[in-house]
Amino acid sequence: MHFMNPVPVMTLVEVIRGVQTSDQVYSNTIELAEKMGKTCSTARDVPGFIANRLLMPYINEAAFALYEGIGTVEDIDKTMKLGTNVPMGPLTLADFIGLDTCLAIMRVLHEDLGDSKYRPCPLLVNYVNAGYVGRKGGRGFYDYSK
């Protein structure tokens, strides 16, 4: 099971069906997740599953937009929040997830899938190397030390 964070708030669980996952184990897993009050989606056992395969490139592309000077942190988030009706912009979301976590996932996608579209943004790498890991560290794309 791949739980979404924060687990108590997010209702979705991705159920990952591995090559050797029996129908009984799969059914038991769905039943267990539903008893926890979760809604399930099923994904094949591939890097990123569904959620991270779609979400992390979105966040990474937002980092590239900032890196390339296409917009400010605030304008990138505002554009996506108000223009696509998502509850928070991609850079705010990255800060909540943790930039170190986002970078680690992008590295797995890039290495395991071998596609340059998953190459981590250099700005993301630089921020993590500088200790900017998001809300949990007091600084990410936004400054939370105030």
Side-chain angles (χ1 to χ4, degrees):
M1 289 194 275
H2 177 218
F3 290 87
M4 305 298 123
N5 282 311
V7 175
V9 175
M10 302 302 284
T11 59
L12 182 73
V13 171
E14 283 183 300
V15 177
I16 312 310
R17 244 189 129 142
V19 173
Q20 295 184 357
T21 304
S22 70
D23 289 342
Q24 185 61 53
V25 168
Y26 174 74
S27 295
N28 290 349
T29 303
I30 297 285
E31 185 178 326
L32 176 62
E34 288 174 348
K35 283 182 182 176
M36 290 186 233
K38 302 297 183 184
T39 300
C40 299
S41 65
T42 302
R44 214 166 40 99
D45 189 10
V46 296
F49 314 126
I50 297 170
N52 284 338
R53 187 80 171 259
L54 300 174
L55 178 62
M56 288 302 139
Y58 165 67
I59 288 171
N60 196 53
E61 194 60 31
F64 268 112
L66 179 63
Y67 180 66
E68 295 169 6
I70 296 170
T72 65
V73 171
E74 295 80 5
D75 283 330
I76 291 165
D77 275 353
K78 182 189 328 175
T79 297
M80 295 313 296
K81 185 176 176 184
L82 300 178
T84 65
N85 202 31
V86 293
M88 69 178 75
L91 301 175
T92 299
L93 180 56
D95 279 354
F96 273 96
I97 293 168
L99 302 189
D100 53 336
T101 301
C102 293
L103 177 59
I105 294 167
M106 286 306 300
R107 284 181 167 153
V108 167
L109 292 173
H110 187 235
E111 290 168 17
D112 290 0
L113 297 172
D115 192 325
S116 64
K117 72 181 177 182
Y118 299 113
R119 177 178 64 96
C121 175
L123 182 62
L124 182 60
V125 174
N126 290 343
Y127 274 20
V128 171
N129 288 342
Y132 297 172
V133 295
R135 276 188 79 89
K136 64 187 173 189
R139 176 69 202 265
F141 290 109
Y142 291 91
D143 185 353
Y144 300 95
S145 64
K146 302 170 193 165

